[in-house]
């Protein structure tokens, strides 16, 4: 991959909307190259992030994004420092602007996970170093890159495929997938109850990208018709981090939108093997967690989650390669 041509050197990656279509797809290709590079051991001889210092500022919990950043940077010879909400003065005793200016004098880049998109934008503006969005209330761009790498690996391409995202149609993952599919030339259907529909503003932004790439962005409130023809069935938790008070309300709204075997059959693509199941994870697919103990499976049944067409752990591994690609693109 010609990193110069990718044009992301020194840049932050905060929303897919800020990338050109070529840059977004280029990051997926770079991730595929870095994945092969790691498997061949080439990174041990010629590290791309040698001695780079990366701060991880995480105001919310994370397994994949945290570990993918740490392992991705260490794979390429860099160093990471994990800072949670209690470790920094950030936004409490010190303004985001001042903390950003201090961190920018010490680190080479920052992976941020938090609540407000404005904070990650300010961090990028005032630190003067590349900042990568590891999830905010509004967007989760790094997730989509991993999803696209996984789709390419299992279905051979992106353009021309159809994704049905089923569930909370207005959360960070839904919005990011909608924009990502529009930029990749994939048809996208947001299958959700009317109360959880995406905003007109995000629909308009995505449809603008879809128009130039010859694909469609739709919203459906019908969990049967909405998934017809889908090659990718995607879901996320019904209650995102920070929205815990809405738990009972979400259960009531989203029960009819659970991904189960009937829904997979309704795609019409099960027999031909042209459908896969994806989930950004963590998932409530059984009663094995503290939260799902009293409810059992929520957004997806255990049968679907554990089926051969479920590629959720390939997808989770690909968080490593795609986050590494973002950091390499900005710093190498
Ligand atoms: N999918 C995802 O972002 O997982 P984590 O919350 O574990 O980072
Ligand atoms: N929508 C979820 C994604 C978790 C990776 C959340 O924000 O909690």
């Amino acid at each position: 991959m010609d990193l110069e041509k990718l044009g992301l050197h020194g840049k932050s990656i905060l929303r897919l909307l800020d990338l050109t279509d070529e840059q977004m797809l280029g990051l997926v290709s770079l991730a595929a190259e870095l994945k092969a590079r790691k498997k061949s051991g080439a990174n041990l001889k010629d590290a791309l992030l040698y001695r780079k210092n990366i701060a991880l500022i995480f105001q919310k919990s994370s397994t994949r994004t945290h570990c993918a950043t740490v392992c991705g940077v260490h794979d390429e010879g860099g160093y990471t420092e994990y800072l949670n909400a209690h470790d920094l003065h950030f936004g409490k005793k010190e303004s985001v602007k001042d903390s950003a200016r201090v961190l920018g004098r010490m680190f080479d880049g920052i992976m941020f996970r938090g609540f407000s998109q404005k904070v990650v934008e300010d961090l990028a503006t005032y630190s003067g170093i590349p900042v990568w969005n590891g999830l905010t209330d509004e967007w989760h761009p790094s997730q989509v890159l991993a999803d696209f790498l996984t789709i390419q690996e299992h279905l051979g391409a992106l353009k021309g495929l159809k994704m049905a995202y089923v569930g909370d149609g207005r959360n960070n993952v839904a919005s990011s997938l909608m924009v990502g599919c529009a930029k990749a030339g994939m048809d996208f259907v947001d299958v959700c109850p009317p109360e959880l529909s995406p905003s007109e503003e995000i629909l308009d932004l995505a449809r603008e990208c879809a128009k130039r790439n010859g694909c469609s962005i739709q919203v459906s409130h019908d969990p049967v018709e909405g998934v017809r023809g889908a090659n990718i069935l995607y879901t996320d938790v019904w209650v995102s981090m920070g929205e815990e008070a809405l738990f009972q309300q979400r259960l009531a709204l989203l029960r009819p939108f659970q991904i189960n075997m009937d829904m997979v059959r309704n795609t019409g693509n099960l027999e031909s093997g042209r459908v896969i199941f994806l989930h950004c994870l963590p998932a409530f697919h059984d009663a094995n967690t503290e939260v799902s103990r009293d409810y059992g499976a929520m957004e997806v049944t255990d049968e679907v989650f554990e089926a051969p067409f479920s590629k959720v752990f390939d997808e989770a591994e690909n968080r490593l390669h795609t986050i590494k690609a973002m950091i390499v693109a900005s710093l190498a």
Side-chain angles (χ1 to χ4, degrees), residues 75-302:
D75 272 353
E76 295 293 344
Y79 177 78
T80 51
E81 179 67 18
Y82 181 80
L83 302 155
N84 69 29
H86 308 291
D87 289 329
L88 291 167
H89 297 299
F90 195 73
K92 288 177 290 194
K93 255 177 94 176
E94 185 168 64
S95 66
V96 170
K97 183 173 174 179
D98 289 356
S99 293
R101 287 185 286 182
V102 173
L103 295 169
R105 298 291 182 107
M106 300 185 186
F107 287 95
D108 297 294
I110 301 170
M111 175 63 74
F112 176 82
R113 166 167 288 197
F115 296 87
S116 149
Q117 183 72 17
K118 166 92 169 61
V119 169
V120 78
E121 307 271 353
D122 285 352
L123 196 51
T125 304
Y126 297 113
S127 68
I129 54 174
V131 174
W132 306 282
N133 181 358
L135 181 147
T136 59
D137 290 345
E138 286 99 325
W139 302 105
H140 195 5
S142 70
Q143 178 66 50
V144 176
L145 301 177
D147 302 337
F148 284 178
L149 179 58
T150 313
I151 295 165
Q152 267 183 8
E153 288 172 344
H154 289 285
L155 296 172
L158 296 173
K159 203 172 173 61
L161 294 179
K162 176 173 179 175
M163 177 183 289
Y165 170 93
V166 187
D168 175 5
R170 38 136 301 277
N171 76 9
N172 41 18
V173 171
S175 301
S176 304
L177 284 168
M178 183 186 293
V179 169
C181 285
K183 289 170 83 68
M186 295 164 71
D187 291 330
F188 179 89
V189 193
D190 194 330
V191 186
C192 58
E195 296 85 343
L196 297 172
S197 296
S199 70
E200 285 304 319
E201 186 196 341
I202 291 180
L203 276 171
D204 286 347
L205 288 168
R207 283 182 173 143
E208 213 177 290
C209 304
K211 207 163 140 193
R212 69 170 175 266
N213 290 316
C215 59
S216 69
I217 303 295
Q218 291 172 305
V219 178
S220 166
H221 303 309
D222 180 341
V224 176
E225 284 308 315
V227 302
R228 287 239 190 272
N231 303 106
I232 303 107
L233 268 183
Y234 197 119
T235 191
D236 183 10
V237 287
W238 288 344
V239 183
S240 287
M241 289 180 273
E243 298 184 326
E244 288 74 10
L246 301 170
F247 193 81
Q248 291 302 334
Q249 184 189 328
R250 289 290 169 78
L251 279 186
L253 282 173
L254 284 161
R255 281 274 184 225
F257 293 83
Q258 181 188 61
I259 298 192
N260 52 34
M261 278 310 294
D262 282 338
M263 189 182 279
V264 179
R265 276 188 282 273
N266 287 338
T267 64
N269 285 328
L270 184 59
E271 297 285 294
S272 64
R274 291 293 290 165
V275 62
I276 61 173
F277 169 72
L278 295 182
H279 189 310
C280 54
L281 304 183
F284 296 123
H285 58 95
D286 56 24
N288 293 341
T289 73
E290 216 174 280
V291 176
S292 60
R293 196 178 43 217
D294 300 330
Y295 304 96
M298 287 184 238
E299 69 272 12
V300 57
T301 60
D302 203 46

